[in-house]
Amino acid sequence: MPTLADVVQELESAYDPRWAESWDAVGLVCGDPSSEVRRVLFAVDPVAAVADEALEWGADLVVTHHPLYLRGTTTVAATTFKGRLVHTLIRNDVGLFTAHTNADVADPGVSDALARAVGLTGPLTPLQPSPDDPRRGLGRIGTLPAPLTLHAFARQAARGLPGTAGGLRVAGDLDREVRRVAVSGGSGDSLLGTARAAGVDVFLTADLRHHPASEFMEAPGGPALIDAAHWATEWPWLAEAARRLTSGLAEKGITVETRVSETVTDAWNTKAECEDLK
């Protein structure tokens, strides 16, 4: 029977913790390295609904993209939702492991899975390569198999990503031709200038703020923008991470069962629209 230590070693070989940003918190959050692991649940967020799913399925480990404690803490008391989550996991012998910015820059990583989900084919290159290895880095640039209008590409991207209340927001001429596309899973407005310099036709990411996006669109000659839900842009990576874990362990003669959580943990669960006033 594989141990938690075996699984952690395989995950960290795919998503080296040394690749994480200095401010990040990745790796094993809770769990006994000597405990047995038969089932691993992959999810974007370490929240109560995911913990409930893990217990219902009988998972021994939850692997999330987002850290539970990003800025540190002085308590895991069950008086907070994070403390309650830790208590729930430990009480039921379920470990928690995080791969965050080290998965963002991996090759393949979060943005590779996003690129494939929205229809990019062929080779992918980092939008912002890592200084120590140009094969890794933030975001990805790729091409569509045939040109589409921005409107058609946005519809294709919406079909390829999991549904959320907010859907996709689009900025740009809906009739413009799109062939070369940049994507970045998660918050991407720090890469707006990089996307412009890359000469792509559209940049798809999440969490674009009003002022940076507005000023970006005022300058002529840049790409169109598509803003998706943060959770939706990172969810496609879960299946790839699960596949890498099972295949890597299989090469060592180790078998685990994996599952990708389909629980929508996007913070927004509905939207309201005003009726037209006649």
Side-chain angles (χ1 to χ4, degrees):
M1 185 67 67
T3 65
L4 178 56
D6 294 326
V7 176
V8 167
Q9 181 180 27
E10 191 61 40
L11 287 167
E12 292 190 339
S13 70
Y15 309 109
D16 193 324
R18 293 174 297 180
W19 300 339
E21 296 288 341
S22 59
W23 48 262
D24 204 0
V26 301
L28 189 63
V29 179
C30 67
D32 182 348
S34 65
S35 63
E36 295 179 346
V37 173
R38 301 176 303 276
R39 288 181 164 183
V40 183
L41 177 68
F42 285 79
V44 174
D45 297 300
V47 293
V50 169
D52 291 343
E53 181 180 355
L55 299 188
E56 182 180 353
W57 183 53
D60 305 295
L61 174 65
V62 177
V63 176
T64 63
H65 182 52
H66 291 148
L68 179 64
Y69 291 107
L70 183 58
R71 293 177 175 83
T73 186
T74 59
T75 176
V76 292
T79 53
T80 66
F81 92 84
K82 293 185 178 184
R84 288 192 294 275
L85 183 68
V86 171
H87 278 253
T88 297
L89 295 176
I90 292 177
R91 188 164 54 242
N92 291 277
D93 296 322
V94 180
L96 175 63
F97 179 92
T98 296
H100 190 212
T101 54
N102 50 329
D104 286 333
V105 300
D107 176 29
V110 171
S111 291
D112 295 272
L114 172 59
R116 299 309 187 200
V118 300
L120 302 189
T121 59
L124 299 172
T125 58
L127 175 60
Q128 181 175 287
S130 297
D132 59 331
D133 185 350
R135 296 170 300 176
R136 297 188 294 101
L138 291 174
R140 290 296 184 269
I141 297 174
T143 57
L144 295 168
L148 295 173
T149 64
L150 176 60
H151 182 259
F153 173 68
R155 289 175 61 87
Q156 174 176 291
R159 289 192 297 268
L161 295 177
T164 58
L168 302 184
R169 300 187 298 176
V170 182
D173 179 357
L174 295 180
D175 292 324
R176 74 175 288 174
E177 184 175 281
V178 170
R179 180 66 181 268
R180 195 161 178 261
V181 179
V183 302
S184 183
S187 303
D189 63 10
S190 65
L191 295 171
L192 284 171
T194 307
R196 179 183 293 278
V200 296
D201 301 310
V202 61
F203 178 38
L204 185 153
T205 187
D207 295 344
L208 290 177
R209 294 171 295 160
H210 171 78
H211 291 295
S214 177
E215 293 170 7
F216 183 87
M217 294 306 297
E218 285 298 312
L225 297 177
I226 298 181
D227 183 47
H230 189 120
W231 172 85
T233 63
E234 295 174 331
W235 185 85
W237 167 76
L238 303 179
E240 168 62 18
R243 185 197 65 76
R244 292 192 72 179
L245 175 64
T246 54
S247 62
L249 289 176
E251 293 176 359
K252 301 177 176 65
I254 299 174
T255 301
V256 295
E257 186 179 355
T258 61
R259 176 175 174 176
V260 171
S261 173
E262 295 186 358
T263 301
V264 178
T265 55
D266 185 54
W268 313 106
N269 57 13
T270 191
K271 65 179 179 180
E273 297 181 2
C274 297
E275 294 181 356
D276 291 334
L277 297 178
K278 300 294 186 181

